[in-house]
Amino acid sequence: MELPLVPSEDHPAGAVRDTGWPSEARAAIGFAVVLLGVSLTVEVGNSSLSPFHALLWSGFSALVFAILLPPRIEAAPGRLTVHGLGRRRTVHTDRLTSVRWCDGVAQRVILCDTTGTRAEIDPRVFVANPPLWHRLEADARTSVARGTLVRGSAELDLLALRLDRETARTVFRISGLG
C-alpha cells in the first residue's frame, strides 16, 4: 500500500513519486541477500569459508545491490528530484533549458535546468507513473512559455506521444483488447 506524501519541506503539497520504487528496492535487497546466502552456503559446503571470503562475498553482494537499486523519483510543482545511492539531484522543471531523450539499449530522459543541474530518468518510470509524467510535462510547458527551454521541445512532444502510446497499449493489454 502506497502512503500519501505528507506535506513538508522535503515533500510539498502536490508532490508525486514513483509508486513502483518500493517493490524494486525490495527486489534488489532480496537478490543481494540471496546471492550472499547462496555464496556463503557454497563456501561452507566446500569447507573453504574464511573471513576473507565472507568479506569478499559481502562486498560483491553490496555491489550487486548498488547496481540493482533504482533511483527514487519524486516530483512536485516546479521540481523533480532523483534520489540515487549517495546523491540527490533536484532539477527545476519549470526552468528547464534542455530535454533530451536517448533512445537505445539504456533509454534515458535527460533534463537540464537553468542552474546547470542535470538528472537522468528511465522513461519507463513515466509510463508506470502517469502522475509523474503529467507533473513534468506541465512544468516543461511552463519552461517553453518562459522561453528557458531552448532545446528539446520537439523531443518532449515525441516523448509524450511515446508515453501515450505505451499507456494505451497497457490499457488494451489489461482489458484484454490487445
Side-chain angles (χ1 to χ4, degrees), residues 3 12 14 47 50 54 63 65 68 88-89 92 102 111 114 132 138 148 157 161 165-166 169:
L3 297 175
S47 300
S50 67
L63 177 65
F65 168 73
L68 293 179
R88 175 177 151 175
R89 301 263 173 125
H92 297 280
C102 298
L111 307 171
T114 55
L132 271 175
T148 60
D157 292 336
L161 286 171
R165 187 177 31 219
E166 291 293 327
R169 280 189 194 137

Side-chain angles (χ1 to χ4, degrees), residues 2-6 8-12 14-19 21-22 71-84 88-93 111 119 121 125-126 129 131-133 135-136 139:
E2 181 68 22
L3 297 175
L5 291 175
V6 177
S8 69
E9 187 176 315
D10 289 335
H11 306 289
V16 293
R17 64 176 138 187
D18 178 4
T19 56
W21 184 84
R72 186 168 38 100
I73 313 292
E74 294 181 355
R79 73 173 200 207
L80 184 133
T81 304
V82 178
H83 300 270
R88 175 177 151 175
R89 301 263 173 125
T90 299
V91 175
H92 297 280
T93 50
L111 307 171
I121 302 126
V125 171
F126 296 125
N129 298 280
L132 271 175
W133 168 248
R135 176 81 267 148
L136 172 63
D139 287 343

Side-chain angles (χ1 to χ4, degrees), residues 45-128:
N46 289 334
S47 300
S48 60
L49 182 63
S50 67
F52 175 73
H53 284 166
L55 184 63
L56 189 68
W57 284 116
S58 296
F60 183 65
S61 295
L63 177 65
V64 167
F65 168 73
I67 291 169
L68 293 179
L69 183 67
R72 186 168 38 100
I73 313 292
E74 294 181 355
R79 73 173 200 207
L80 184 133
T81 304
V82 178
H83 300 270
L85 202 59
R87 71 178 184 179
R88 175 177 151 175
R89 301 263 173 125
T90 299
V91 175
H92 297 280
T93 50
D94 58 349
R95 291 183 269 151
L96 292 172
T97 56
S98 72
V99 175
R100 291 184 312 175
W101 174 27
C102 298
D103 193 18
V105 175
Q107 294 184 12
R108 292 281 178 244
V109 175
I110 302 169
L111 307 171
C112 297
D113 67 11
T114 55
T115 63
T117 306
R118 178 179 167 208
E120 295 184 18
I121 302 126
D122 187 334
R124 291 178 295 187
V125 171
F126 296 125
V127 171

